[in-house]
Amino acid sequence: MSFSASVLTLYPEMFPGALGLSLAGRALVSGTWSLEAIQIRDFASDRHRTVDDTPAGGGAGMVMRADVLASAIDHASPEGDPRPRLLMSPRGKPLTQARVRELAAGPGVVIVCGRFEGVDQRVIDARVLEEVSVGDFILSGGEPAALVLLDAVVRLLPGVMGNAVSGDEESFENGVLEHPHYTRPQEFEGRQIPEVLTSGNHKNIAAWRRRESERLTRERRPDLLAAQPLVK
Ligand code: SAH
């Protein structure tokens, strides 16, 4: 059974977008995963196909209507659909590699992309949407966030990455950032590849990489080390 993604959006033309190329694109063609982009506007009931309205209580911008979005969700994900329902949202839980792994191990995802000021809270509650953020900044819509999430998930699906080992050593997989990389030429603008890496001594290479990885994590992301269990 392949991983199935349904994306609810006002801009279905944004999909598969970047996911139609490279590894994800090939996996899409080969059927490792499938993607359906659903136009939310098709579920509007009035003549003007209205999907948003002014915020209750006043203020700037528009809010996506609960009723229209609920109809779209019920169409994409009828009762009994085992896939988690996500809402891309800056107020959500920040996406982590651990959550990405969980999603990749599951049957797929239903993703709601917000626009304007966001969506009416009642549809979030009534359809039990899990709010997911891709970072502490504001995008103009949930679509780029959905592409980011799907890219991270799809590369983990069986057979998508050529060299399966590279997935486990990546930044965040072991709670640390990855060590720096080097390749030919041996000298670049007077800078050499660190000697240990060309020594052929695999034990020393592994030790160097571990040290560099810890150093970078300490310098750049001490929060990751603080989250580590004490004994490993
Ligand atoms: N008024 C909202 C921001 C709305 S941005 C607020 O201040 O919280 C419009 C839409 O873009 C959101 O509904 C959401 O779907 C998407 N979006 C914006 N930033 C995002 C982020 N960091 N992560 C995930 N989705 C985001």
Side-chain angles (χ1 to χ4, degrees), residues 8-232:
L8 284 77
T9 168
L10 291 172
Y11 297 95
E13 307 83 1
M14 290 192 186
F15 297 88
L19 299 180
L21 302 166
S22 188
L23 292 180
R26 252 173 280 148
L28 194 53
V29 170
S30 72
T32 304
W33 70 296
S34 65
L35 174 64
E36 156 189 53
I38 296 163
Q39 172 57 272
I40 294 167
R41 200 173 291 284
D42 290 347
F43 298 86
S45 51
D46 64 326
R47 203 158 52 84
H48 301 290
R49 304 216 300 158
T50 311
V51 295
D52 58 332
D53 211 327
T54 53
M62 300 295 273
V63 176
M64 288 174 81
R65 287 171 58 129
D67 53 351
V68 178
L69 209 43
S71 301
I73 293 168
D74 293 344
H75 166 86
S77 179
E79 240 186 72
D81 183 346
R83 298 174 298 169
R85 295 173 181 159
L86 314 183
L87 168 66
M88 302 322 294
S89 159
R91 290 190 322 216
K93 228 183 179 177
L95 186 62
T96 60
Q97 189 63 17
R99 183 69 183 124
V100 166
R101 278 219 173 264
E102 275 172 15
L103 291 172
V109 277
V110 178
I111 304 179
V112 178
C113 299
R115 278 272 153 184
F116 320 116
E117 290 309 314
V119 312
D120 188 308
Q121 182 62 38
R122 292 169 296 176
V123 71
I124 303 177
D125 299 338
R127 292 299 179 273
V128 198
L129 304 181
E130 172 190 341
E131 294 182 69
V132 178
S133 167
V134 295
D136 292 344
F137 44 79
I138 303 295
L139 299 166
S140 52
E143 291 80 7
L147 290 169
V148 164
L149 182 142
L150 287 172
D151 180 281
V153 168
V154 167
R155 64 188 283 284
L156 295 182
L157 298 176
V160 173
M161 270 198 305
N163 179 1
V165 185
S166 82
D168 307 328
E169 295 183 349
E170 224 83 62
S171 290
F172 309 118
E173 288 290 1
N174 305 305
V176 287
L177 303 180
E178 203 186 36
H179 55 79
H181 297 286
Y182 298 87
T183 186
R184 276 180 283 274
Q186 171 64 40
E187 189 198 314
F188 164 68
E189 296 183 351
R191 296 160 193 264
Q192 306 290 335
I193 294 177
E195 219 174 288
V196 57
L197 296 181
T198 49
S199 67
N201 183 326
H202 294 290
K203 221 177 118 203
N204 289 352
I205 293 172
W208 180 88
R209 286 182 168 163
R210 209 164 33 243
R211 268 198 317 276
E212 283 297 295
S213 155
E214 280 166 18
R215 178 182 65 79
L216 285 173
T217 311
R218 225 175 7 254
E219 278 174 24
R220 299 179 182 180
R221 294 294 304 277
D223 58 303
L224 293 178
L225 293 177
Q228 297 267 330
L230 288 175
V231 191
K232 220 184 145 186

